[in-house]
Amino acid sequence: MLASSGLFVCFEGGEGAGKSTQSRLLRDWLEGQGYAVLLTFEPGDTEVGRQLRRIVLDPATGELSDRTEALLYAADKSEHVDAVVLPALARGEVVITDRYVDSTLAYQGAGRALTSAEVATVARWATHDLRPQLTVLLDLEPAHGLGRFEDRDRIEAESEAFHHRVREAFLQLAAETPGRYLVLDARAPVEEIAAAVRQRVVPLLANARRTTPGPGERRAQP
Ligand code: Z5A
């Protein structure tokens, strides 16, 4: 299902690929153009999501069964979509999410010993099969992204092979529906990536609500 009002954009990729940086830059630029924007993220951008995030990412949680982990991420998504994403889209806003369903298909489906089809069934059910109109995949060699951080959470601490499977899964998802993806080399300069994202987003804004006229736009005369 695609949203019929607003615009749903997602940033995906491995750790340290620049998702938070680019989602903030896109939010700031769109707001500067007068659009109503909601910037959000998974896991953890709801009340219950914050608790789920602590469980799935805190190294103190220790081992979880693969299915438990997939269900916890799915619960976070369900709450996120129902409480945050769908209401904002219904208001005509541009919703930008830092990670979404592709993350669980990649991390729980390809990273862990679950099949992607099983994880997809659970995640699509949890999210009413709501799909972004555009997913920006910031592609980066795992060692490069992990090197941007010193501390590691439960998932970042996984093996190099795990992170390579995750990267390949993201690329495979993008290859399956290329019309809904923008795959960018995350090693490019920040401003170069931001410009490529803007160029791809602009033609998708037809159903997005403006709160103020864009720069240089004149108000209609009474
Ligand atoms: N996870 C999952 O398993 N299943 C799911 O369904 C979901 C998530 C939704 C969330 O961690 C973890 O949950 C994640 C997957 C799993 N774990 N792992 N591993 P998170 O939310 O805490 O973190 P993250 O999503 O992995 O993002 P991040 O680590 O915060 O990185 P980022 O947002 O992609 O990057 P950044 O913060 O924008 O930039 C990182 C640094 O690089 C920073 O110093 C920037 O200034 C720098 N940077 C950014 N862009 C550039 C460029 N272009 N060049 C050079 N330096 C740059």
Side-chain angles (χ1 to χ4, degrees):
M1 165 178 88
L2 291 178
S4 56
S5 70
L7 174 66
F8 190 25
V9 178
C10 171
F11 283 83
E12 293 280 14
E15 301 66 45
K19 300 175 296 297
S20 313
T21 303
Q22 292 299 332
S23 28
R24 279 195 297 268
L25 286 172
L26 180 61
R27 185 262 324 265
D28 294 349
W29 183 79
L30 286 167
E31 285 183 346
Q33 299 298 306
Y35 288 96
V37 184
L38 178 83
L39 175 56
T40 183
F41 63 92
E42 292 186 0
D45 202 13
T46 61
E47 206 46 57
V48 73
R50 273 182 275 285
Q51 299 179 49
L52 293 167
R53 180 183 173 94
R54 188 188 49 73
I55 296 169
V56 288
L57 293 184
D58 189 345
T61 297
E63 289 282 306
L64 281 176
S65 101
D66 292 345
R67 284 162 197 257
T68 303
E69 185 181 83
L71 288 167
L72 289 168
Y73 276 110
D76 173 73
K77 288 178 201 311
S78 169
E79 192 64 18
H80 187 219
V81 166
D82 280 348
V84 176
V85 176
L86 285 174
L89 289 172
R91 294 190 298 268
E93 296 176 12
V94 180
V95 177
I96 303 171
T97 185
D98 182 346
R99 293 197 181 279
Y100 186 55
V101 167
D102 282 10
S103 279
T104 201
L105 302 181
Y107 286 91
Q108 282 69 55
R112 307 288 188 209
L114 298 171
T115 69
S116 287
E118 287 173 325
V119 177
T121 301
V122 173
R124 300 289 182 209
W125 177 77
T127 56
H128 308 266
D129 199 18
L130 176 71
R131 308 207 182 202
Q133 277 99 331
L134 176 67
T135 295
V136 179
L137 173 57
L138 298 174
D139 179 50
L140 189 61
E141 174 69 29
H144 201 110
L146 290 166
R148 288 176 176 174
F149 296 105
E150 284 177 5
D151 294 336
R152 303 252 166 121
D153 62 34
R154 264 186 77 252
I155 291 195
E156 284 160 358
E158 282 295 333
S159 68
E160 205 180 312
F162 174 96
H163 289 288
H164 277 288
R165 289 198 298 279
V166 167
R167 181 189 188 191
E168 288 309 312
F170 277 129
L171 289 168
Q172 177 63 37
L173 286 163
E176 283 166 15
T177 44
R180 292 219 206 117
Y181 283 81
L182 174 63
V183 182
L184 296 171
D185 183 344
R187 293 168 306 173
V190 169
E191 195 38 57
E192 195 177 297
I193 295 172
V197 172
R198 289 196 294 267
Q199 190 178 18
R200 186 62 185 271
V201 166
V202 166
L204 302 175
L205 290 165
N207 295 326
R209 179 169 65 84
R210 274 211 157 116
T211 50
T212 56
E217 283 188 352
R218 290 166 51 202
R219 286 179 189 280
Q221 296 301 313

